[in-house]
Amino acid sequence: MLTAVILIILFPLAGAAVNGLFGYRLREASGYIGAAAVGLSWVLSLRVLFWVMGGGELNEDVYAWIVAGSFKASVGFQVDALSTIMIVTVTTISFLIHVYSFGYMRNDPGFARFFAYLNLFVFSMLVLVLANNYLLMFVGWEGVGLCSYLLIGFWYERKSASDAGKKAFIVNRIGDFGFLLGIFLMASYLGTVQYAEVFEKAPLMLSTGVATAIALLLFVGACGKSAQFPLYVWLPDAMEGPTPVSSLIHAATMVTAGVYMVARSNVLYTLAPTAGAVVAWVGVATALLAATIALVNTDIKRVLAYSTVSQLGYMFIGVGVGAYTAGIFHLFTHAFFKGLMFLAAGSVMHAMQDEQDMRKMGGLLGRMRITGITFWIGALAIAGIPPLAGFWSKDEILVSAYRSGNVAIWALGVLGAVLTAFYMFRLILMTFHGTPANQQLYDRAHESPLNMTVPLVFLALGSAVVGFVGVPPGHGWIDGFLSDTAGAAHHAGSGGLSGGMLVGISVLAGLLGIGFAYRMHRTNRLGTASSNAVHGLLIRKWYVDEIYDALIVRPIHRLSLVLARVLDAIVVDGIANGLGLAVKGAGWVFTRFQSGNAPTYALWMVLGVVAVIYYVSGN
């Protein structure tokens, strides 16, 4: 089974290497190679899933990587229920995105380069989730960060795309600094970064304070990768990349890394309840912040981007209140309906000459039946309407929050469910219903080719049925499957509202949001600008980017100018130029002695002999 695990990782790496080195010759074949590489990993991932379901488990080092005294970090892999769910999710969604990309990117001059980057992205994510220690996880962690930079800025000739890539890279470096500090602190106190050893030693050797510090530092890294407040600002700008990239980042790779890491580290967060509370409150704050911004945004991809930020907040609520299985369950279902909606948005853009403004759409369901229906399924799923996937996973998080005693978090989560349903059906109604806002674009609109619509159908089917792995809630197949590795939720009690009442409130919240969106649609108020202060605040995205610009970007820019004009130009250049002038001056002096005149050389020799005799006789 170790061989199968290594092949799961190496197939995408081989695809990236072949397309990266020879893609300019392979041309269209590079798409087949990229999709086949991930497809093979998907087949082997299913094999691993059945093996783990049968009781199999693997934790094996391939070779020693870093050895320093008693400290050792290896290149090794761990296959258990948690990592298996992740590799199945990653390879399934990634394979469908690769197939879709074949049609979406067909005429792009960077076709082969795109598939090389996409394969490398999948490889990095698989390393991250299959690693058996934090340092190797960090290799994959940095790999997905690099690939996100390459893919977000894929169309680098556009300044907006190159700027977005740099923004993602820089913001993630801030989070990664905290993540590294957490690993160093862990190694300092425990002498190891291997999962098995860390989780065995931590309850015996770590005080609550140290465990809290490690858990919070690791969570700083998760805030960067999984776009949580205050490090979420890169993810909406990531929409500058091709739409399949957005789907891959939001559904199967990158942003799910932080949730996985917290779930993997559940032993540490159980030892540090304060850190768990921070995770949950940051999650609920991010969920609401992003949802409110999505309420007024008119860019179809950015609405979905803020939706992802919000849904990740729900996942962190789950793992923060100790319901690690519920958080991973929502990660699993979200991969299907968010991947579906991003690819469907790409299908809309493909039909609308790359137009992203929903105010210029409308009535597209009549021209794009498959795209419209599948988008509806994804929207109903994320809104939490039963029996679709999002209903089961999001409700399990909210019920877990309530029963763990975090009633305020539960109430805010329900409010977020209302907002989610509203902004998602605002998107649906503005895009697929009503009268066309731009008749010329509408007349040119057409359904996408089969290699784009078939993945939509499969993802829509998944969005409809994968939630049943969590039925009955709290005791479904996925709960039992993950219970040993992700841990079970620790509830303070189940008093107060019953499970049925909690579910009913959640469903009612979704229906309320949908109804409000439909009412505004009937009165032609969706997408119209408002002059009130709240609308202005949301349009400006709570001024978070402006605050960052004023407090961080501009001061650092001014400091950089001072360093460039004073320290670099005067001090550094002064020292370098001064040394150069000194050497040049010394050279001029010594050239005076090299006249080429023999009598002069004889004179200097005699004077030298006299000086030596004088020195010797004086001593």
Side-chain angles (χ1 to χ4, degrees), residues 195-236:
Y195 296 151
E197 296 175 6
V198 168
F199 303 149
E200 180 183 356
K201 293 181 178 180
L204 304 175
M205 299 177 64
L206 294 183
S207 65
T208 301
V210 174
T212 301
I214 293 173
L216 288 176
L217 286 170
L218 294 177
F219 182 58
V220 171
C223 285
K225 278 291 177 288
S226 295
Q228 296 297 285
F229 184 84
L231 301 180
Y232 72 93
V233 291
W234 67 270
L235 191 56

Side-chain angles (χ1 to χ4, degrees), residues 64 93 99 160 167 217 228 249 272 428 465 475-476 532 537 554:
I93 305 301
V99 173
S160 58
K167 185 175 183 179
L217 286 170
Q228 296 297 285
I249 290 175
I428 285 278
V465 303
H475 304 283
N532 68 65
L537 183 65
R554 290 182 185 176

Side-chain angles (χ1 to χ4, degrees), residues 49 51 87 121 192 409 425 502 510 540 584 603:
L49 172 64
W51 180 69
I87 62 172
F121 209 161
T192 183
I409 290 178
F425 277 85
L502 292 172
R540 300 300 297 178
K584 185 178 180 181
L603 175 62

Side-chain angles (χ1 to χ4, degrees), residues 271-530:
L271 291 173
T274 301
V278 170
V279 171
W281 277 105
V282 168
V284 75
T286 305
L288 289 176
L289 177 72
T292 56
I293 297 173
L295 294 176
V296 298
N297 208 290
T298 56
D299 184 312
I300 188 170
K301 285 178 66 176
R302 288 181 184 269
V303 171
L304 294 176
Y306 282 110
S307 170
T308 298
V309 176
S310 183
Q311 294 303 304
L312 288 164
Y314 279 99
M315 297 175 207
F316 279 109
I317 292 172
V319 295
V321 300
Y324 301 103
T325 297
I328 294 297
F329 183 24
H330 195 50
L331 181 157
F332 175 65
T333 61
H334 177 264
F336 285 88
F337 54 74
K338 186 52 60 67
L340 164 63
M341 288 188 289
F342 262 112
L343 296 187
S347 181
V348 169
M349 291 167 56
H350 181 76
M352 297 286 287
Q353 313 298 310
D354 291 327
E355 181 59 61
Q356 295 180 215
D357 192 338
M358 298 185 298
R359 293 170 296 184
K360 298 179 181 179
M361 299 178 187
L364 289 177
L365 185 62
R367 307 283 289 186
M368 308 179 69
R369 186 71 61 179
I370 297 175
T371 299
I373 292 174
T374 54
F375 210 127
W376 257 90
I377 293 172
L380 288 169
I382 197 174
I385 303 302
L388 302 178
F391 163 73
W392 304 105
S393 57
K394 188 160 67 176
D395 272 24
E396 190 166 331
I397 288 173
L398 293 177
V399 169
S400 297
Y402 182 85
R403 290 183 173 173
S404 64
N406 293 282
V407 178
I409 290 178
W410 166 78
L412 293 173
V414 171
L415 174 60
V418 177
L419 301 179
T420 300
F422 174 79
Y423 68 66
M424 196 52 64
F425 277 85
R426 171 179 175 266
L427 183 157
I428 285 278
L429 294 169
M430 288 179 68
T431 304
F432 293 102
H433 298 275
T435 57
N438 187 313
Q439 191 64 45
Q440 186 178 8
L441 286 176
Y442 177 81
D443 290 340
R444 294 180 181 176
H446 55 84
E447 187 59 272
S448 298
L450 281 176
N451 53 13
M452 294 175 64
T453 55
V454 169
L456 295 183
V457 172
F458 277 106
L459 287 170
L461 181 63
S463 300
V465 303
V466 296
F468 287 103
V469 299
V471 179
H475 304 283
W477 173 84
I478 196 167
D479 297 276
F481 186 62
L482 291 175
S483 60
D484 291 337
T485 51
H490 303 285
H491 300 317
S494 57
L497 299 175
S498 67
M501 293 176 67
L502 292 172
V503 171
I505 291 171
S506 181
V507 173
L508 182 62
L511 294 174
L512 184 63
I514 295 173
F516 189 44
Y518 181 71
R519 181 180 178 183
M520 291 190 68
H521 173 67
R522 289 290 302 271
T523 55
N524 295 317
R525 288 185 291 160
L526 287 180
T528 58
S530 173

